[in-house]
Amino acid sequence: MPNLRNLILSGILLGTAGLSASAESVDYTKWVNPFIGTTNFGTTNPGAVVPNGLMSVTPFNVMGSDTNVYDKDARWWSTPYEFHNKFFTGFAHVNLSGVGCPDLGSLLTIATTGDLEPDYKKYGSAYENETAVPGYYSNRLTKYDISTEVTATDRTSAERYTFPGGKSNILINLGQGLTNESGATVRRVSDTEIEGSKLLGTFCYNPQKVFSIYFVMRVSKKPDASGYWKMQPKMDGVEAQWTPDNGTYKIYREYGRDLSGDDIGYWFTYNDLKPGEQVEVRMGVSFVSIKNARENLEKEQLGLTFDDMRKNAHDRWNADLGRIRVTGGTDDQKKVFYTGLYHALLQPAVLSDINGEYPLMESFGEGKVPAGHNRYTIFSLWDTYRNLHQLMTLVYPERQTDMLQSMVNMYKEGGWLPKWELFGRETYTMEGDPAIPVIVDSWRKGLRDFDIDAAYEAMKKSATTEGAKNPMRPDIDPYIEKGYVPLNFFHADDSGDNSVSHALEYYVADAALAWLAEQRGDVEFAKELRKRAAGYKNYYSKESGTLRPINPDGTFLTPFNPRQGENFEPVPGFHEGSAWNYSFFVPHDVEGLIKINGGNKKFTEKLQKVFDDNLYDPANEPNIAYPYLFSRVKGEEWRTQKEVNRLLSKYFTNNPDGIPGNDDTGTMSTWAVMSMMGFYPDCPGEPFYTLTSPVFDRVEIDTPGKTLVIEADRTAPGDIFIQQMQLGGKPLKNYRISHDDLMKAGNLKFKLSNQPKK
């Protein structure tokens, strides 16, 4: 068969070939506001990064304050940056975006003036004049009058510091960060270069998942002096314990070998810089070796100035953002849209080095990808399987194909498909078997250039292996036997008794797998999977009108409050949510869900109650597709249009709190992006979309071989209700359409008004 990757790349060129010169010259990055989501626990950051790049350079401001309070863990900080904090303790290299658990945020670099001070609580500085655009960040450290700038390539970074003159320093702190691991090794290579490694891990404070990042760092000017530092604990007795708050720092000025330990760092001092003189810091990283980190640095930055790299980062972002072009809407709506697309393109991130090597999944040694391909990491699949990978499949299929093969190779190396993978380690965070719907969804939409045989083998393994040997589904035994998971079964992430949440995720995965099993002639297995996928009905309680946890003896949990679990309150059976956040999460069998809820009218009334009584949580993944369920009831489709537009206006704004909680590696942002375009992937694993009224008058999406165009005819901004639809110039009655039909038609038109069509 022809190489799909080449077909995809050719298709993208064909899809963009018809653009006018003026369209090609549009700067889409101007519509990105990297500060959106940097508060309200959105946990995004404004640092420099390229699309799906490994390296991100982020200002770190959650580790201290101007009162020298050590507060990294005070509010469960899971990103190096929070908009309202204004105390800078360095630039962190390689960071997560939008996650709910702390990790990484390390290799902290900072420039200072005056005498050398290795204590971050003392060398930190307030800052002002923040600027952030895709691929670039800058600020001014008021304590030192130093201007800072950072940019990035896939695996490397560049920092440029402009000094006021006089005695100045550049420091790299290897002890601090978001990870609870403080161990590191650093070695002086030359006057201007150091190399080393830093321990990372303990994602969600899981002490077992530790790994190393390797780095090479260079400064552009030879220092007058350089050396190491190390935290020295206060020893008041043999049993004395120490923390960063009760130790002192020892500076090593003459020691010239390598240094290992907890809370160590390295410094460069310049005795007399000229006013306005600039010193650059270049860093390469790798999760394989120092050798690869150096090769990444040398090859990705060969012959490039700081400004060259900044321009390259801008151009890459502009090209990726420009695959979707919108017309109409307000400036704020465009900024919400393109910032959402920006966030969606941060993770998964490239893991393989420039030579193709990467750390094998949960095993020793290195693998190597073929030339022209990448290994990816940061698979937060419980989040992203719902919409982000569907967006990647639609608009960035060449990247999604590599992501699919990355997941399959993780199975070949570590024995299982990923659940929540991080740099070659499985964290087992959250529940379900989320790689299955991603793979099936992409396969059904035409992405075939990956090892589907191995993928099916892996999916069948996790769907059939007994619980004692099954880290993906440790509670699979009662699930198969009874059709549900009773209380008192616990998952590998130690998150508690989340039995209903687990089972609901398995139902979605098994429904997706059933289709693939039947296609492959595995008919009896497909039949069994479909039977399993209907097991959600066991949880339905007429008394509460919701899904309800089941005791080991088969009775419903009593007493039971379906609202318990709001605001992360612990509740038996449900993970990070109430029964209301989960009771409509049956995307693979909406017709069956409607039936057990009493039919169309009662179902609609109950679903509307979720929104009217504030039972809907816009930041909780299982319920984010709820607004689209109205469109499965004839005559009630207008409610989808109303609620989607209301939720977009209320929760997604051009402000630092413009995401309604953790962005979850782009999942919430993708909800906004897809909703604003007028169609949403309503069931992971099924190649269908539910339609809603687009925010923009025209949307052009580059897909392989053609440009998909979505048009909205409205007379006023408040026209949000669909009156008529056309697909490929023909009248369209259905509000749910297949991926194939949408792609073949190439054009979707809406006629909108300010009155619902009932």
Side-chain angles (χ1 to χ4, degrees):
M1 63 181 288
N3 185 281
L4 179 63
R5 183 180 185 84
N6 294 333
L7 290 176
I8 289 170
L9 293 173
S10 299
I12 290 168
L13 293 175
L14 288 171
T16 58
L19 296 180
S20 66
S22 59
E24 290 178 341
S25 64
V26 173
D27 185 1
Y28 297 97
T29 68
K30 72 179 182 180
W31 299 112
V32 175
N33 176 3
F35 293 105
I36 291 176
T38 55
T39 189
N40 190 36
F41 296 98
T43 65
T44 64
N45 62 68
V49 62
V50 296
N52 298 108
L54 173 65
M55 174 62 83
S56 59
V57 197
T58 300
F60 201 117
N61 69 10
V62 301
M63 193 166 60
S65 72
D66 52 9
T67 57
N68 293 332
V69 176
Y70 184 80
D71 64 359
K72 174 179 74 71
D73 297 316
R75 292 184 64 199
W76 189 269
W77 297 116
S78 54
T79 186
Y81 180 92
E82 207 282 338
F83 182 78
H84 295 101
N85 291 352
K86 298 298 178 184
F87 190 72
F88 179 88
T89 49
F91 284 111
H93 299 74
V94 183
N95 301 284
L96 302 174
S97 175
V99 300
C101 286
D103 204 350
L104 285 75
S106 63
L107 305 178
L108 291 163
T109 55
I110 191 172
T112 68
T113 61
D115 292 336
L116 178 66
E117 172 55 70
D119 187 339
Y120 68 90
K121 298 192 299 292
K122 296 177 181 178
Y123 69 57
S125 171
Y127 58 92
E128 61 183 12
N129 300 338
E130 264 190 307
T131 298
V133 295
Y136 175 83
Y137 172 91
S138 69
N139 68 22
R140 175 181 169 273
L141 305 183
T142 57
K143 182 176 181 178
Y144 305 113
D145 191 24
I146 294 174
S147 294
T148 79
E149 302 171 89
V150 294
T151 190
T153 68
D154 279 309
R155 305 164 184 87
T156 79
S157 62
E159 302 157 45
R160 184 164 65 186
Y161 299 100
T162 304
F163 290 90
K167 188 175 183 180
S168 305
N169 314 282
I170 291 174
L171 299 82
I172 178 168
N173 187 326
L174 297 172
Q176 303 306 314
L178 292 179
T179 177
N180 281 351
E181 297 295 326
S182 59
T185 294
V186 61
R187 186 178 79 89
R188 179 183 183 274
V189 178
S190 69
D191 288 337
T192 57
E193 180 178 315
I194 60 173
E195 64 183 23
S197 63
K198 166 81 176 86
L199 280 179
L200 299 172
T202 66
F203 183 72
C204 278
Y205 296 112
N206 183 337
Q208 298 179 3
K209 300 301 178 180
V210 178
F211 48 92
S212 292
I213 186 172
Y214 303 92
F215 71 92
V216 171
M217 172 178 155
R218 294 170 179 165
V219 293
S220 61
K221 180 180 176 66
K222 181 179 177 180
D224 295 297
S226 64
Y228 305 82
W229 80 73
K230 188 181 189 306
M231 168 75 80
Q232 302 295 311
K234 292 180 179 178
M235 298 300 290
D236 298 325
V238 175
E239 300 300 325
Q241 300 293 316
W242 66 277
T243 70
D245 292 317
N246 69 5
T248 59
Y249 290 89
K250 179 175 178 59
I251 296 174
Y252 297 86
R253 298 183 183 276
E254 306 299 331
Y255 181 69
R257 297 178 65 83
D258 58 338
L259 184 68
S260 298
D262 293 321
D263 293 287
I264 64 174
Y266 198 90
W267 52 272
F268 303 86
T269 292
Y270 302 92
N271 290 333
D272 191 19
L273 294 181
K274 298 176 182 177
E277 189 168 356
Q278 294 181 329
V279 178
E280 293 188 11
V281 174
R282 305 285 183 99
M283 186 183 295
V285 296
S286 166
F287 284 87
V288 172
S289 67
I290 291 174
K291 174 179 176 291
N292 282 12
R294 179 172 287 105
E295 185 177 5
N296 290 340
L297 178 61
E298 292 175 347
K299 290 188 176 180
E300 289 193 359
Q301 296 195 7
L302 181 64
L304 298 178
T305 66
F306 180 95
D307 292 327
D308 290 336
M309 283 182 277
R310 178 184 177 183
K311 183 180 184 305
N312 289 345
H314 166 273
D315 291 348
R316 287 181 61 181
W317 275 115
N318 202 42
D320 268 13
L321 297 170
R323 291 197 194 184
I324 305 179
R325 300 169 293 283
V326 301
T327 304
T330 66
D331 284 357
D332 278 350
Q333 286 172 328
K334 288 178 181 174
K335 287 184 178 180
V336 168
F337 178 82
Y338 279 110
T339 304
L341 187 56
Y342 167 81
H343 286 147
L345 290 170
L346 294 175
Q347 292 151 154
V350 168
L351 177 63
S352 49
D353 292 320
I354 201 165
N355 63 9
E357 293 182 349
Y358 62 87
L360 294 174
M361 179 72 174
E362 293 286 357
S363 54
F364 295 107
E366 291 79 45
K368 190 168 185 176
V369 294
H373 294 267
N374 284 307
R375 170 68 168 250
Y376 283 89
T377 186
I378 313 176
F379 283 96
S380 175
L381 289 170
W382 181 82
D383 306 296
T384 59
Y385 93 96
R386 302 166 198 275
N387 55 30
L388 185 141
H389 285 285
Q390 290 86 330
L391 178 65
M392 297 299 295
T393 297
L394 178 69
V395 190
Y396 310 92
E398 77 286 359
R399 243 167 280 175
Q400 174 68 3
T401 299
D402 273 358
M403 292 175 188
L404 295 168
Q405 190 60 56
S406 294
M407 288 190 278
V408 174
N409 285 345
M410 288 175 189
Y411 160 69
K412 293 179 179 180
E413 298 155 9
W416 303 92
L417 290 170
K419 182 190 292 281
W420 211 125
E421 176 271 348
L422 190 64
F423 303 107
R425 304 304 305 273
E426 179 55 68
T427 71
Y428 296 110
T429 304
M430 305 308 291
E431 44 265 325
D433 209 343
I436 292 176
V438 172
I439 294 170
V440 174
D441 193 281
S442 297
W443 181 264
R444 295 184 71 175
K445 291 173 181 172
L447 297 195
R448 303 290 172 91
D449 198 12
F450 67 98
D451 189 346
I452 190 61
D453 293 333
Y456 183 70
E457 177 182 277
M459 291 186 275
K460 191 168 185 178
K461 178 182 178 181
S462 65
T464 58
T465 301
E466 62 183 284
K469 300 177 181 179
N470 193 337
M472 298 297 291
R473 305 193 192 191
D475 41 17
I476 192 173
D477 298 341
Y479 171 79
I480 293 176
E481 178 187 352
K482 301 174 182 291
Y484 61 87
V485 178
L487 291 167
N488 296 339
F489 280 85
F490 297 87
H491 198 30
D493 64 355
D494 295 326
S495 59
D497 191 336
N498 305 315
S499 56
V500 185
S501 300
H502 291 179
L504 290 175
E505 297 289 348
Y506 300 154
Y507 298 139
V508 176
D510 284 346
L513 183 55
W515 180 91
L516 185 60
E518 186 168 40
Q519 293 294 306
R520 294 177 66 88
D522 208 344
V523 178
E524 289 303 312
F525 184 48
K527 183 179 178 181
E528 167 64 22
L529 290 169
R530 288 196 177 92
K531 179 182 176 182
R532 291 190 201 176
Y536 70 90
K537 298 172 185 177
N538 291 292
Y539 285 116
Y540 185 75
S541 165
K542 291 183 179 180
E543 179 184 353
S544 65
T546 66
L547 303 187
R548 184 171 177 175
I550 301 175
N551 292 312
D553 64 3
T555 62
F556 281 125
L557 175 68
T558 303
F560 174 65
N561 176 7
R563 295 196 62 155
Q564 185 182 354
E566 296 175 4
N567 301 314
F568 290 89
E569 175 192 5
V571 57
F574 298 101
H575 195 177
E576 296 181 359
S578 72
W580 285 109
N581 301 134
Y582 282 90
S583 289
F584 295 93
F585 177 55
V586 188
H588 61 286
D589 187 17
V590 177
E591 292 77 11
L593 182 65
I594 292 173
K595 185 176 181 180
I596 66 170
N597 277 278
N600 288 345
K601 186 175 186 296
K602 290 184 178 180
F603 173 83
T604 301
E605 290 173 350
K606 189 182 295 185
L607 184 59
Q608 189 61 57
K609 170 185 168 67
V610 171
F611 296 97
D612 294 345
D613 293 358
N614 294 317
L615 301 173
Y616 176 81
D617 182 352
N620 198 351
E621 276 77 354
N623 72 183
I624 58 174
Y626 279 16
Y628 290 94
L629 293 175
F630 290 114
S631 291
R632 303 296 282 274
V633 179
K634 187 173 179 56
E636 304 294 348
E637 299 92 347
W638 63 273
R639 296 179 189 268
T640 290
Q641 299 144 37
K642 176 185 176 182
E643 292 300 338
V644 168
N645 276 273
R646 181 183 68 84
L647 294 169
L648 283 170
S649 298
K650 181 176 181 179
Y651 293 109
F652 294 88
T653 65
N654 181 29
N655 297 295
D657 63 354
I659 298 175
N662 291 165
D663 194 36
D664 288 327
T665 61
T667 302
M668 297 304 156
S669 288
T670 302
W671 185 93
V673 167
M674 298 295 291
S675 296
M676 295 176 88
M677 291 194 296
F679 63 108
Y680 189 81
D682 51 40
C683 179
E686 293 186 4
F688 288 89
Y689 306 101
T690 293
L691 304 179
T692 189
S693 50
V695 167
F696 304 104
D697 297 336
R698 184 179 177 90
V699 180
E700 298 176 356
I701 307 170
D702 290 337
T703 65
K706 68 167 58 179
T707 296
L708 172 63
V709 178
I710 300 169
E711 299 175 281
D713 179 8
R714 54 164 59 87
T715 58
D719 294 349
I720 64 170
F721 295 106
I722 298 172
Q723 303 301 306
Q724 296 176 2
M725 300 181 292
Q726 288 185 347
L727 183 64
K730 298 179 180 179
L732 177 65
K733 301 291 186 181
N734 297 325
Y735 287 79
R736 190 175 193 242
I737 62 174
S738 73
H739 175 84
D740 285 347
D741 286 347
L742 183 61
M743 293 298 103
K744 288 175 183 176
N747 183 273
L748 179 62
K749 291 185 178 181
F750 297 92
K751 184 173 179 58
L752 308 176
S753 80
N754 61 2
Q755 295 298 317
K757 181 182 179 181
K758 299 182 181 180

